[in-house]
Amino acid sequence: MKFLALGGTDYVGASSYYVELDGTKLLLDCGKGICRSRSQVFSPAFGSLLTSGCLQSLGQLDGILLSHAHFDHIAAMDEITSAAPDTPVFATRLTKELADHLLFDRLFYCETEDMLSDFKQKYAVSAAIDRIQPVSYHQTFSLGSVSVTLFEAGHVPGSAAIYLQSAEGSVLYTGDYMLDRTILTAGLQLPDWVKPDVVILNGLHAKHPTYRPKNTLISILHRVQDHAASGTPLQIQVRQLTKGIELAALFKQAGIFAPMFLDDAIYSLAERMSYVGVPILTQNCRRLPPGGKADGICLSGRPIRGLPLIQADFSLHGTFGDDLTLLTRLQPQTVYLVHAPDSPFAEADSLQNHFPQTTILCPKQEQVYTNFDRK
């Protein structure tokens, strides 16, 4: 086995990972990242596949597998599919549907003055999305000498954990995952027979054992119920469209029928979800007026002056405890910990302390790892 992280190592953004099993060359995800200090967008280090000697050309990739439709996991699709025009791309049907919406909202909410450049990029992204071949959960298919199976990951609708099996060994890429059921997913669904030798673990909270979100879904729900009962307006600021959808579904499930105003991006995504069989909108849901202020519960990506504000900073990622539970169940020999940011608040406790017999690596970007010691 060869493993090479092209991005998304000890930071969130540009998640993309190369795995070579039994001669079959696969790419897991192809997102972009945002350098907030310089307001710049960056792509995975696709060139390192060539400089490392893993590939002679990007067209040698045997398959591209997408875990879910978030910007940091799929936004570089147009780049890699243009460089690998004959390589098949696979994801769940719902990921394909959401990619069409989420990518265009994030990539093109601010168009440039270069209309021709905008048109070319939109065309390239549309062509990349068209390349996705939909795959159902639990459906096994072959890429070269590798059998591939996708399982529900529980992060967002359509998200998948990707299981690779070959004569050389087996690898589980968790993607972003949640163990527990959410409003819109059943949580991570792995059959008992999944026993990987290697786990590529998306461990957003793996280095922060005592992390707790400031606002849980339940605390947000209680605030909304109070405002709905009193008839007073409230704004919930959501920085991810899928979190806006999760909240709208929660309020629907809880029977909150106060006027609900969704900004254009969230409302349009809710319409798309309904189109693919996941109804979100109720009769009390409306588009947020152009002025941005309305007399009701407002879900918006931007703050609205004059309204009480809740930041929707709840997490749809596995916690440190979830990582422990998952690895205890799977008992892999090697873990590559990715999508796992350091911070000044990182704590002394670590996964390695709990699994002394497991090799747990925080891979360096653009470094090839070949240690696949069989049990």
Side-chain angles (χ1 to χ4, degrees):
M1 173 193 175
K2 290 182 181 179
F3 174 81
L4 174 63
L6 312 180
T9 51
D10 57 355
Y11 60 91
V12 173
S15 289
S16 191
Y17 313 101
Y18 172 79
V19 172
E20 185 174 328
L21 269 177
D22 204 17
T24 299
K25 303 168 174 62
L26 302 172
L27 190 67
L28 307 174
D29 284 340
C30 50
K32 288 187 178 182
I34 299 176
C35 180
R36 301 194 184 280
S37 62
R38 291 178 290 177
S39 298
Q40 292 180 335
V41 175
F42 61 93
S43 298
F46 293 129
S48 64
L49 289 169
L50 309 180
T51 57
S52 66
C54 290
L55 302 175
Q56 298 301 309
S57 74
L58 295 179
Q60 289 183 309
L61 286 169
D62 293 303
I64 299 169
L65 302 165
L66 306 176
S67 66
H68 65 288
H70 277 160
F71 182 87
D72 58 324
H73 291 264
I74 62 166
M77 276 184 60
D78 57 325
E79 295 179 33
I80 191 62
T81 53
S82 295
D86 297 320
T87 301
V89 185
F90 300 91
T92 65
R93 173 175 172 261
L94 193 49
T95 289
K96 181 174 183 176
E97 292 288 347
L98 295 183
D100 187 38
H101 186 92
L102 293 175
L103 268 183
F104 275 89
D105 177 78
R106 190 63 179 269
L107 287 174
F108 306 114
Y109 64 88
C110 289
E111 297 191 348
T112 70
E113 294 181 358
D114 186 348
M115 294 181 63
L116 179 59
S117 176
D118 285 337
F119 175 79
K120 288 180 177 178
Q121 188 178 10
K122 288 181 179 180
Y123 179 82
V125 171
S126 292
I129 293 171
D130 287 343
R131 289 266 299 274
I132 297 175
Q133 300 180 38
V135 179
S136 300
Y137 292 134
H138 300 275
Q139 173 189 344
T140 299
F141 60 98
S142 296
L143 287 173
S145 57
V146 174
S147 295
V148 182
T149 313
L150 272 56
F151 302 106
E152 184 169 4
H155 175 56
V156 294
S159 62
I162 300 169
Y163 191 43
L164 310 175
Q165 297 171 279
S166 76
E168 187 179 7
S170 58
V171 176
L172 175 70
Y173 173 50
T174 65
D176 292 351
Y177 82 96
M178 280 277 287
L179 276 190
D180 294 335
R181 175 181 292 274
T182 71
I183 300 300
L184 294 175
T185 77
L188 179 64
Q189 300 290 302
L190 293 180
D192 291 339
W193 56 265
V194 173
K195 299 292 183 183
D197 299 294
V198 174
V199 171
I200 304 170
L201 177 67
N202 280 30
L204 181 66
H205 304 306
K207 299 176 182 177
H208 314 102
T210 60
Y211 163 81
R212 296 292 183 274
K214 295 178 182 177
N215 290 310
T216 65
L217 281 171
I218 296 301
S219 66
I220 293 172
L221 175 61
H222 290 164
R223 287 280 302 278
V224 170
Q225 287 173 326
D226 290 343
H227 281 263
S230 64
T232 55
L234 174 70
Q235 186 208 352
I236 306 167
Q237 186 177 4
V238 289
R239 300 186 183 279
Q240 286 183 328
L241 292 182
T242 45
K243 285 189 176 181
I245 294 300
E246 190 84 12
L247 285 171
L250 172 65
F251 302 153
K252 174 183 177 181
Q253 184 184 81
I256 297 176
F257 297 109
M260 193 81 59
F261 296 90
L262 284 59
D263 71 15
D264 277 342
I266 298 173
Y267 194 95
S268 296
L269 179 56
E271 288 184 317
R272 174 60 65 91
M273 297 284 287
S274 298
Y275 170 74
V276 296
V278 185
I280 302 292
L281 299 173
T282 59
Q283 291 183 346
N284 60 312
C285 292
R286 307 163 196 171
R287 288 185 187 271
L288 191 64
K293 190 172 182 179
D295 190 15
I297 309 300
C298 301
L299 292 175
S300 175
R302 293 180 174 86
I304 301 171
R305 289 185 180 181
L307 290 186
L309 176 67
I310 298 177
Q311 295 284 354
D313 64 349
F314 60 91
S315 178
L316 293 174
H317 293 264
T319 64
F320 181 80
D322 292 335
D323 295 338
L324 292 181
T325 299
L326 181 61
L327 294 181
T328 298
R329 173 186 166 187
L330 297 177
Q331 293 293 310
Q333 182 172 342
T334 302
V335 174
Y336 291 106
L337 182 59
V338 299
H339 198 279
D342 292 317
S343 84
F345 308 105
E347 296 149 63
D349 195 8
S350 71
L351 293 177
Q352 190 67 76
N353 293 341
H354 293 265
F355 302 98
Q357 303 303 314
T358 300
T359 301
I360 299 181
L361 300 170
C362 297
K364 295 181 179 179
Q365 186 167 316
E366 302 183 51
Q367 180 173 324
V368 179
Y369 294 81
T370 58
N371 53 322
F372 198 140
D373 300 322
R374 299 300 302 277
K375 294 180 181 179

